[in-house]
Structure formats: structure tokens, C-alpha cells
Amino acid sequence: MESRLRMRHWIAAGFWIALISGGPLPARAQAPLLGAWAFEPTQTFPQFTKMVVQRHKGQLSGVITSQWYGDLPMLNLRIDHDQLIFQINNGNPRLTPRDLTARIQGGHLVLTGRLWDQDLDATAHPATPSELAALRFPTYALPPPRPVPDNGLARTPPMGWNSWNKFGQEIDDKTVREIADALVKTGLRDAGYRYVNIDDGWQGARDANGVLQPNSKFPDMRALAAYVHARGLKLGLYSSPGPKSCAGYPGSYGHVEQDARTWAAWGVDYLKYDLCSGEAFYHTPETVQAVYQQMGEALQATGRPILYSLCEYGRFDVGGWGRKVGGNLWRTTGDITDDYAAMSKIGFDQNGAPHNVGPGGWNDPDMLEVGNGGMSLDEYRTHMSLWALMAAPLLLGDDVRSIQPDILALLSNRDVIAIDQDRLGRQGLPLRRLGDLEIWARPLADGALALGVFNRSAGPMTVSLDWAELGLKRPQTLRDVWRAADLDPAQDRITWEIPAHGVALLRLGGVMGAANPVTVQ
Ligand code: GLA
């Protein structure tokens, strides 16, 4: 039985090789592995669908197709005894290439190996011509480069809430409504947090016409948008230019304009567009830019003002072209997590280029973790101060329904929000870096200077500031933002004890202006 099956494979594979390559039938010893294969349907990442391996003029080559990544060449392809060994590159610079192995077992082709943290285990059978045709992965043309007009939104960094950091995929209509109510009740809406953004996990299937439907956790998006709007808030959604979102839901691949129209019809006001599986299709500066431009144009063509958030992790100097593709903010890093090490690495060491930032377009160092429990209050003050000094979007990431008073006070601090939202739109920069002491400055529209004095060490630090030593003229007013206290600006030197991983945030009035002594590049 086994040998008869093998013979059938050999015949099928040989047939396909001859058909695909037009070349001679492969050597018998290797033939069982060559040819066209159709994988058994599976939901397991990355959902392989087909594989075609051929030898032409002695050269082995192959393409493996998956629902996440479309057609990918099989790299370093070789046959070792009864195994076909190869690697794939999904376009992610962080993916370490590892050998994947295909062998014939029990009459089937079995593919094993590891991709990211997933063990692969996919089984295939020889593909018939009609199977192969049905599994063809479509590709689509991208628009030629042309600037997308400014949509007039985000004159200051966007503020609101996003579901991902706290809820991940466990998000539903009821929770979003309750969050909207909580934003109103807590006063956070009136403090400026206006967007209620549903991240990954709302998407369902496409209908017969290709229209994307929400999943069962979101029975009626139009009604949800109306509910949010009725509370003076705005609704945001999430998608990907790839066929799959990062969590494996349908992306907008092949449906860009259609999806933009669907969201506009629902009343959506904000889109976060996350590269995810699109990184396999768009992995050059030109293609990534083009695919973000395509959605930028599609959003504008709807006629509805939709704020556009680019999420491609800061690749290919996105700050240099984010505005040109219609973007209002662009992620500059990978994902934040709720711990001081990750937050401070992003906040202190991975800021996007400051010259790209200003009304309409902002560097996005990722959403806030304040209130999620992984950092001390001092560390969360550092988080918030850094984001405000950087003119970063302020997207709450916690469960505001059960927000604690100290976290609410921290997030509602009007002076911090005023720094973040300053209409000059300049991004702050380090003025001094002295070991664990960092002093950051951000010039503000009224001639004031926001100054963050950070202690990055794990113990308290006594810091004395001398305006002259810092190259600053004596301020006319001096506000200690976190203590909500006006200090005497007449003193030459001011001293604090700054707690471990903590910050003193100051607003120095009348420091900038005509005789501007401060150079914040
Ligand atoms: C990526 C993004 C995150 C979040 C998840 C959702 O990792 O960077 O912000 O949107 O996808 O799957």
C-alpha cells in the first residue's frame, strides 16, 4: 500500500514538475519531494496552502504559499536524503531564519519546523491542477507615489483610549460602551481623551460581496459608533494592509477601498493600520510607502474625516514620509509592555526624529501603559512626562471603568496635558545626559520651556539645578507640574530629591522668546 501510494506521488509530482518547468522528469530518488502539493486546510499559523518545488537545469527552486504571507520563495532549498530543507523570510528583520523540513510520511508530505514561537505541523497531498489554480494567491498593483493632501486633523497629538494594552483580543461591544461611559464619568473625556479605539480583534468574515463584517462580539458597528458619538467621543478601528492582522483576523489586503468605505459608513473616525502579515508583501521602502498611501487615499476618498495612524514599527524612516501618505501619526518602535525597562527604553532611547513632528503629524512611541499595574506611580509619572515632552499621542491603555484615584489624577493632570498638547508642536529633546540623570526640554508656544528632570537609577537622587549652568535664563514663573505647585522663580538654584525611576516636571515661564538662550535642536 505504502509503495503504491509513493508511486502515485511520484507520478503526480513528476507530472507537475514537467508541467511547471517544462523540463525533464526529476531523478527518481528525489522525485517524491518535488512537484506541487496542496496542504490540508488548517487554522494553524501561517496557514500554508500550497508548495511547488521543481528542479530545472539542475537547479532546485520552490515557492511556498500561506494565507498569512502569500507566495514566499523557499530559501537555501536543498534535499538531504529523504528530506527537503529550506527557510523562509517573511520580511520581518527580527525573524531568525530557521530550517523547515518536508518529508514523505505515510503517503503524505509532512512539513515541520518552527516559525517565531510556533511549531509547524502541516500535511500536504499532491495537488491537482484545479486545486492548484484555486489556491493561487492574488497580488494587487500599488499606486504610484503622489502626495496625499493634509486631512486637517491632529493639529495636536491625538488623545483617547485604545483596547489593546489592557484587553488584547478580549474586547467586545459592551466593554467599549462601558469605557466610553467611564471616559465621560471620570472627566477624562473633558481632559481631552476623545478617541475610543478598538484595536485588533473586532474583525469577522467578509460577506459574499467582500464586505468586511465585525465578529459576533460586535453585533452592530454603526450602533456602537452612534453610542460613542452621542457621548461626545469618536470611534477608532484597526486593520492591516496584509491578508491577516497581527492576531490573525482578516486584513484589508485586496479590499483597501472597500474597507475604507465600510468604516466611513459605520461612522469610524480613526484608523490604526498595522503592517503585520503585510510585511511579507511590502518589505521595501517603496512598497511600504505605497501601501500606506493607498489606504491614505482610500480614507480621504470616503469624504469622512478619518484620522490615520500608521503602525509599521518605525521601519524605512517612516517619519520622513508619514505625512506624504496622509498619516497623522506613525509608530516609531515595536510594542510597549507594562514595565519600566521597556517603557524607558522607548521613551529615553528610541524617539523618532524630531524634525518630522508638528501640527498634523506625530511620532508615536506606542500607547500608554499607565494604570495597568506593572510600574510604580513614579515610573508611570516618568512615562507620562516623557510622552508629554515628546509631543506623543496620549492613548490610554488601561481599564478606565475601574481606574484608581491616583492613576486618574496622574492621567488628568491639566499641566502635563497642556505640555503634550502645546500648539507649537515641537518635540522635546535631551538638554543634558549625565549618567542616570537626564534633563529633557521642550519649547512651548507661550515662550515657556517644559523641563523634565529624570532619575533613571534604581535609588533616589538629589538633584540641584542651576539655571545659568544649564544655559537658561532665570524663569519668570516656575511651576512644579506633578506637585501642582508654583515655586519662587527668583532662586538661582533649585534642589529636589527625585525618587527611583522618577521625575520632576517643570514649566519655566518666559525663558524662550526673542533673547532665546536655549538651544533645543
Ligand atoms: C501589533 C501592534 C500592537 C497591536 C497588536 C494587535 O503588535 O504593534 O500595537 O495593535 O499588533 O495584534
Side-chain angles (χ1 to χ4, degrees):
M1 180 67 181
E2 163 95 24
S3 64
R4 266 180 48 210
L5 270 177
R6 283 177 72 95
M7 180 63 82
R8 271 188 29 220
H9 283 292
W10 187 88
I11 294 165
F15 171 75
W16 278 109
I17 277 312
L19 192 78
I20 291 156
S21 67
L25 286 176
R28 190 188 167 96
Q30 297 176 349
L33 289 162
L34 304 185
W37 299 92
F39 285 94
E40 311 311 334
T42 169
Q43 284 311 305
T44 316
F45 167 83
Q47 294 176 265
F48 287 117
T49 54
K50 67 180 167 69
M51 181 176 102
V52 177
V53 183
Q54 59 179 321
R55 190 187 287 280
H56 184 49
K57 294 188 176 156
Q59 197 63 37
L60 203 58
S61 67
V63 171
I64 188 160
T65 308
S66 65
Q67 289 191 28
W68 279 66
Y69 301 132
D71 295 333
L72 288 181
M74 298 164 77
L75 306 173
N76 301 323
L77 180 62
R78 58 205 187 271
I79 290 182
D80 186 0
H81 294 93
D82 61 343
Q83 304 189 120
L84 189 73
I85 303 170
F86 64 98
Q87 299 175 342
I88 57 175
N89 175 2
N90 76 339
N92 191 308
R94 288 187 302 118
L95 182 70
T96 327
R98 266 186 293 209
D99 283 350
L100 309 181
T101 304
R103 59 168 72 83
I104 306 290
Q105 256 173 30
H108 280 82
L109 179 128
V110 174
L111 179 67
T112 53
R114 225 171 138 72
L115 207 55
W116 293 113
D117 56 351
Q118 299 282 321
D119 285 320
L120 304 179
D121 191 2
T123 306
H125 60 268
T128 63
S130 57
E131 271 180 306
L132 211 54
L135 295 173
R136 190 187 68 81
F137 204 92
T139 53
Y140 303 98
L142 291 171
R146 55 192 169 220
V148 181
D150 183 352
N151 61 9
L153 301 171
R155 298 345 275 174
T156 60
M159 290 178 67
W161 175 90
N162 174 294
S163 56
W164 187 254
N165 283 354
K166 175 69 187 176
F167 296 94
Q169 295 174 59
E170 305 305 313
I171 187 69
D172 53 29
D173 177 280
K174 179 170 176 281
T175 308
V176 175
R177 287 174 192 242
E178 288 172 4
I179 293 283
D181 290 339
L183 287 170
V184 177
K185 196 166 145 218
T186 53
L188 285 164
R189 176 198 64 186
D190 295 339
Y193 298 94
R194 289 292 162 95
Y195 286 94
V196 179
N197 295 345
I198 308 169
D199 207 277
D200 211 353
W202 65 267
Q203 313 89 319
R206 293 188 183 276
D207 71 11
N209 298 318
V211 179
L212 186 57
Q213 307 296 313
N215 60 39
S216 58
K217 294 191 289 177
F218 291 91
D220 187 343
M221 276 295 184
R222 227 182 264 261
L224 179 57
Y227 186 93
V228 167
H229 292 157
R231 279 144 192 83
L233 296 162
K234 292 180 178 295
L235 186 71
L237 281 187
Y238 166 102
S239 189
S240 167
K244 298 283 181 183
S245 73
C246 292
Y249 296 85
S252 295
Y253 188 79
H255 297 272
V256 173
E257 290 77 15
Q258 189 180 31
D259 286 356
R261 284 194 299 271
T262 303
W263 302 324
W266 288 344
V268 167
D269 309 292
Y270 185 117
L271 174 72
K272 174 174 168 185
Y273 205 39
D274 194 352
L275 187 58
C276 299
S277 70
E279 67 190 357
F281 301 82
Y282 317 114
H283 45 75
T284 61
E286 295 75 25
T287 52
V288 171
Q289 192 169 336
V291 81
Y292 276 93
Q293 176 194 314
Q294 189 181 25
M295 182 55 89
E297 290 177 341
L299 292 175
Q300 292 209 0
T302 67
R304 185 177 175 85
I306 300 180
L307 203 145
Y308 186 28
S309 157
L310 318 185
C311 181
E312 48 83 274
Y313 334 114
R315 291 185 196 159
F316 307 119
D317 183 31
V318 60
W321 49 264
R323 281 172 194 274
K324 282 190 217 143
V325 301
N328 298 113
L329 62 158
W330 42 85
R331 276 274 290 278
T332 51
T333 70
D335 290 10
I336 195 170
T337 49
D338 186 19
D339 55 278
Y340 180 75
M343 180 280 291
S344 61
K345 190 168 163 208
I346 291 176
F348 288 113
D349 304 328
Q350 296 184 337
N351 309 121
H355 56 272
N356 298 319
V357 160
W362 309 97
N363 284 323
D364 173 11
D366 207 356
M367 303 163 298
L368 298 172
E369 289 282 10
V370 177
N372 280 336
M375 292 184 239
S376 70
L377 215 51
D378 286 320
E379 291 171 338
Y380 282 142
R381 278 191 201 102
T382 292
H383 186 2
M384 189 72 177
S385 306
L386 277 169
W387 265 235
L389 287 164
M390 279 192 281
L394 296 179
L395 293 167
L396 308 172
D398 60 334
D399 187 349
V400 291
R401 296 172 305 180
S402 53
I403 197 164
Q404 296 304 301
D406 49 2
I407 298 292
L408 180 59
L410 196 162
L411 291 170
S412 321
N413 186 305
R414 295 293 201 274
D415 293 321
V416 185
I417 293 174
I419 293 171
D420 181 77
Q421 295 290 298
D422 185 75
R423 64 186 158 77
L424 196 58
R426 295 267 300 272
Q427 178 173 316
L429 285 171
L431 198 61
R432 290 281 190 285
R433 286 184 138 144
L434 303 161
D436 285 329
L437 171 67
E438 297 210 13
I439 302 176
W440 285 61
R442 175 175 175 189
L444 303 174
D446 66 353
L449 188 72
L451 206 67
V453 185
F454 295 94
N455 169 13
R456 291 184 73 172
S457 78
M461 186 188 272
T462 301
V463 179
S464 266
L465 289 189
D466 180 307
W467 306 132
E469 268 173 30
L470 283 175
L472 302 176
K473 71 177 182 186
R474 194 194 301 265
Q476 286 159 19
T477 58
L478 183 57
R479 175 106 177 136
D480 183 328
V481 164
W482 287 119
R483 289 187 201 162
D486 290 317
L487 309 179
D488 175 10
Q491 30 186 346
D492 291 327
R493 171 176 285 277
I494 180 157
T495 304
W496 294 265
E497 182 169 276
I498 303 185
H501 296 168
V503 58
L505 186 62
L506 304 171
R507 187 179 179 116
L508 282 59
V511 170
M512 309 296 292
N516 178 359
V518 189
T519 315
V520 182
Q521 301 285 342

